[in-house]
Amino acid sequence: MTFRLAQISDTHLSAAHPEFVANFDRLAAHLRERKFDLVVNTGDISAHGELAADDLHFALARHQALGLDWLAIPGNHDVGNDPAVGGKTPADAPRLRRWLDILGPDHFLRDIPGWRLIGLDTLITDTDLPQAEAQFAFLQQALDGAGSRRIGLFLHKPLCEQTMAETIVTYWSVQEAPRHRMLALLRQANVGFVASGHVHQWRDRGHSEGLRQVWAPAVAFMVGDTWQHAVGEKRLGYVEHLLYADGRHECQMVEVEGLVRNDLGLMPHAYGPQPVLAVAESV
Ligand SMILES: [Fe+2]
Ligand SMILES: [Fe+2]
């Protein structure tokens, strides 16, 4: 039997942003109709969870109302961002505690026929929080114990912007040191795919540097070309993953009828004005 998984991402839920909630509710109805076996939200589940608890509670309630089995990992708008990026809301102990208290664990392991699904909190990987070290131990153990199962890995930030060898401190991907640490573990495992969010652009990277990499589109909004460079496709929707017990994997982006193509650049009330012709820092 084929396991059908819907990867949704960047839902940015908040009672303060009905435009984003409307997209989520439309998507939720679509996913319910299609009776997915599992929904995985790859982060930025909330709009402002890095600032206060309200949006995390709101996002939790909306996901509980899905009526489907679901899992979530945090994004920078849920637990704060990589401290190296230098923003005002770094991932730290209180922010992580807030997620753990409201949403539960920030990483997961789920075994299904032929596959071991692993979700990680990429926002703490470049911090000195004890949970960061514990998560690397969890990853090692999860990979070592996978047996004949293939690995499906879910992250908020992609492993890199363009190439695993890049050395930039970047808003857009896992930072250099934790990237190489994760890669050293992943290279020794049977990884079927790495699926991420955060960029708000759909990009099927195919097999790149030995890993099948997929960037999910956002649900809540895209960022127009005036404010964010196009590196993929600025469409809204989700990724359908088909996981076969023999280890085969297929995926495709699905557009959902009725989703409104919100442009963050035209919505300064959400995250403030976006810098023109620069890399936006609000997704
Ligand atoms: Fe993000
Ligand atoms: Fe986002």
Side-chain angles (χ1 to χ4, degrees):
M1 198 181 75
T2 311
F3 191 90
R4 297 169 57 247
L5 186 153
Q7 180 196 1
I8 68 176
S9 202
D10 296 274
T11 47
H12 290 255
L13 286 164
S14 170
H17 302 311
E19 309 94 326
F20 304 160
V21 179
N23 272 6
F24 182 84
D25 288 348
R26 182 67 202 91
L27 170 71
H30 171 102
L31 298 177
R32 265 194 297 275
E33 282 166 20
R34 282 154 186 78
K35 297 184 172 61
F36 275 94
D37 297 307
L38 178 65
V39 176
V40 174
N41 190 323
T42 44
D44 285 355
I45 182 173
S46 73
H48 309 288
E50 83 277 42
L51 298 175
D54 315 30
D55 290 356
L56 294 174
H57 284 296
F58 185 87
L60 172 65
R62 273 306 207 267
H63 281 69
Q64 285 174 331
L66 263 175
L68 296 168
D69 192 7
W70 65 277
L71 294 164
I73 48 174
N76 47 304
H77 282 290
D78 304 315
V79 296
N81 208 349
D82 289 317
V85 173
K88 292 180 184 151
T89 52
D92 60 12
R95 292 191 172 94
L96 177 58
R97 186 75 258 158
R98 197 154 58 207
W99 171 281
L100 297 173
D101 287 346
I102 298 170
L103 272 304
D106 62 342
H107 54 277
F108 67 77
L109 184 158
R110 174 72 66 91
D111 284 341
I112 61 170
W115 289 83
R116 169 161 285 189
L117 308 177
I118 300 172
L120 297 179
D121 175 353
T122 48
L123 285 313
I124 63 167
T125 54
D126 201 36
T127 70
D128 55 8
L129 291 168
Q131 289 92 341
E133 203 54 43
Q135 186 173 240
F136 277 112
F138 159 81
L139 177 60
Q140 171 129 45
Q141 203 169 16
L143 297 174
D144 289 349
S148 61
R149 296 173 190 276
R150 295 193 87 192
I151 303 296
L153 185 66
F154 293 93
L155 311 172
H156 180 60
K157 291 190 172 185
L159 283 169
C160 64
E161 276 193 45
Q162 296 297 339
T163 167
M164 302 297 183
E166 64 203 19
T167 57
I168 46 171
V169 173
T170 170
Y171 180 82
W172 294 110
S173 77
V174 172
Q175 302 303 320
E176 183 184 10
R179 175 194 312 134
H180 289 298
R181 197 167 167 192
M182 289 167 70
L183 283 172
L185 299 176
L186 297 175
R187 298 285 188 219
Q188 305 193 14
N190 182 9
V191 179
F193 65 89
V194 180
S196 54
H198 182 57
V199 186
H200 290 229
Q201 298 185 40
W202 158 243
R203 188 174 177 195
D204 185 341
R205 298 205 58 181
H207 283 88
S208 177
E209 299 185 82
L211 289 171
R212 175 85 179 86
Q213 301 175 59
V214 179
W215 295 9
V219 174
F221 60 85
M222 44 68 77
V223 186
D225 292 345
T226 307
W227 303 277
Q228 187 198 30
H229 297 293
V231 292
E233 296 176 38
K234 297 185 177 183
R235 299 153 70 194
L236 301 186
Y238 71 99
V239 183
E240 178 183 51
H241 294 268
L242 301 180
L243 300 162
Y244 299 90
D246 63 5
R248 279 179 302 128
H249 166 246
E250 296 166 7
C251 67
Q252 62 169 342
M253 188 202 145
V254 181
E255 286 193 333
V256 179
E257 195 181 337
L259 243 62
V260 175
R261 196 165 176 270
N262 299 308
D263 183 342
L264 189 69
L266 304 175
M267 307 174 79
H269 56 283
Y271 288 104
Q274 298 299 301
V276 173
L277 294 176
V279 176
E281 294 202 351
S282 293
V283 297

